[in-house]
């Protein structure tokens, strides 16, 4: 039914570069302890997310990468429209801004929540270009055109879960990818208030849960701090 909605072909993903100074093996070893003792939600580390995405294809891959890159809730990703993306160039590099309408998954939305939006900058040239090419190939001129071919949450989650199972990754869903986005920002030492804004959390307490990731890194965080 939706086969002609998009003519876009997913391009090959660039080679992953893990030269970022983060000991992923170390964090992988302590993850289960954090999940069990600190009540952290399930999350994947950057190398695992890229392994997952490398083994997905088509629209499920595109949706999964979008959530990983933006931290969108599954409801927000499935509802995203053409008009939500703005593109610009910066020093010859393609950039994008994704405007997400904050949609709660649980409970009845309040009147003050209906028009809440947040802007997610896309600083990666390749991914911004991927989004622009997708927009350029969408049929028609309507800004209400969906960014992705419509599908059910269950079908999308099942595609992610089955791929993760085949790769022997922890139980994974679209919401786990959202948690992984937040954890990735924490591990890259981004400010907690920035993470709150990008995640669309109304209360800072929702964001502080992820900051427990730094508990195992506490000694390293004090390296270089001068006291005399």
């Amino acid at each position: 039914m939706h086969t002609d909605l998009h003519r876009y072909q997913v391009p090959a993903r660039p080679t992953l570069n893990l030269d970022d100074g983060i000991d992923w093996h170390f964090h992988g070893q302590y993850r289960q302890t954090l999940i069990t003792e600190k009540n952290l939600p399930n999350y994947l580390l950057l190398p695992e997310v890229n392994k997952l995405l490398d083994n997905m294809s088509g629209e499920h891959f595109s949706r999964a990468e979008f959530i990983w890159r933006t931290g969108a809730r599954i409801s927000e990703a499935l509802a995203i429209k053409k008009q939500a993306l703005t593109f610009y160039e910066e020093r010859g590099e393609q950039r994008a801004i994704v405007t997400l309408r904050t949609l709660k998954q649980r409970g009845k939305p309040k009147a003050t929540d209906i028009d809440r939006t947040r802007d997610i900058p896309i600083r990666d040239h390749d991914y911004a270009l991927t989004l622009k090419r997708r927009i350029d190939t969408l049929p028609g001129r309507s800004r209400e055109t969906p960014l992705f071919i419509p599908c059910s949450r269950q079908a999308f989650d099942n595609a992610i879960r089955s791929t993760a199972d085949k790769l022997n990754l922890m139980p994974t869903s679209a919401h786990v990818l959202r948690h992984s986005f937040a954890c990735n920002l924490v591990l890259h030492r981004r400010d907690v208030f920035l993470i709150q804004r990008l995640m669309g959390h109304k209360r800072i307490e929702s964001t502080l849960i992820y900051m427990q990731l730094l508990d195992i890194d506490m000694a390293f965080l004090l390296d270089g701090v001068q006291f005399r």
Side-chain angles (χ1 to χ4, degrees):
M1 179 177 177
H2 298 294
T3 53
D4 294 329
L5 182 60
H6 296 71
R7 301 188 305 275
Y8 178 76
Q9 297 296 316
V10 178
R13 301 183 71 240
T15 303
L16 174 64
N17 179 10
L18 291 181
D19 186 20
D20 51 18
I22 297 175
D23 189 337
W24 298 108
H25 178 70
F26 170 79
H27 284 284
Q29 284 183 310
Y30 284 92
R31 172 174 47 195
Q32 194 55 50
T33 300
L34 289 170
I35 291 174
T36 303
E37 296 183 3
K38 302 288 188 179
N39 292 320
L40 270 171
N42 281 3
Y43 63 93
L44 298 179
L45 297 171
L46 184 151
E48 296 170 323
V49 174
N50 280 280
K51 184 177 181 181
L52 176 75
L53 294 176
D54 284 343
N55 284 273
M56 297 184 71
S57 61
E59 286 293 281
H60 288 319
F61 158 76
S62 297
R63 296 184 196 97
E65 184 173 37
F66 181 81
I67 291 176
W68 163 240
R69 298 270 192 168
T70 64
R73 297 175 176 87
I74 184 172
S75 55
E76 296 166 346
L78 295 181
I80 198 77
K81 303 288 180 59
K82 181 178 180 179
Q83 64 184 359
L85 282 80
T86 304
F87 299 96
Y88 65 98
E89 289 192 8
E90 181 182 79
R91 299 175 183 174
E93 295 281 302
Q94 186 67 60
R95 305 287 188 239
I97 296 175
V98 178
T99 301
L100 292 175
R101 179 183 171 190
T102 299
L103 300 174
K104 291 289 186 182
Q105 286 186 311
R106 300 174 184 172
K108 186 176 181 180
K110 299 177 182 178
T112 54
D113 291 337
I114 294 176
D115 294 323
R116 287 180 60 212
T117 61
R118 62 190 191 275
D119 290 337
I120 312 297
I122 303 297
R123 303 292 297 170
D124 182 274
H125 168 81
D126 291 330
Y127 188 60
L129 194 58
T130 293
L131 290 175
K132 189 174 188 304
R133 287 171 176 166
R134 171 176 278 270
I135 289 291
D136 290 343
T137 58
L138 289 176
R141 297 184 178 182
S142 174
R143 293 175 58 78
E144 291 292 321
T145 302
L147 184 63
F148 303 113
I149 296 174
C151 81
S152 69
R153 293 188 186 189
Q154 183 176 4
F156 181 35
D157 265 340
N158 286 343
I160 296 174
R161 189 175 295 111
S162 62
T163 304
D165 288 346
K166 291 175 184 177
L167 298 172
N168 295 316
L169 300 174
M170 69 162 42
T172 304
S173 64
H175 205 62
V176 170
L177 287 178
R178 172 172 156 82
H179 291 315
S180 304
F181 168 83
C183 291
N184 193 49
L185 293 177
V186 171
L187 292 175
H188 281 89
R189 306 293 191 263
R190 294 308 183 257
D191 181 77
V192 63
F193 294 106
L194 169 66
I195 298 173
Q196 178 189 13
R197 291 185 64 182
L198 295 177
M199 292 291 285
H201 288 156
K202 194 169 184 178
R203 300 170 65 246
I204 190 64
E205 288 81 3
S206 300
T207 313
L208 289 174
I209 293 172
Y210 301 111
M211 303 308 290
Q212 296 176 101
L213 276 168
L214 299 180
D215 287 356
I216 58 174
D217 245 357
M218 200 64 71
F220 299 104
L221 291 176
L222 291 177
D223 281 352
V225 177
Q226 300 293 325
F227 291 100
R228 56 175 297 176

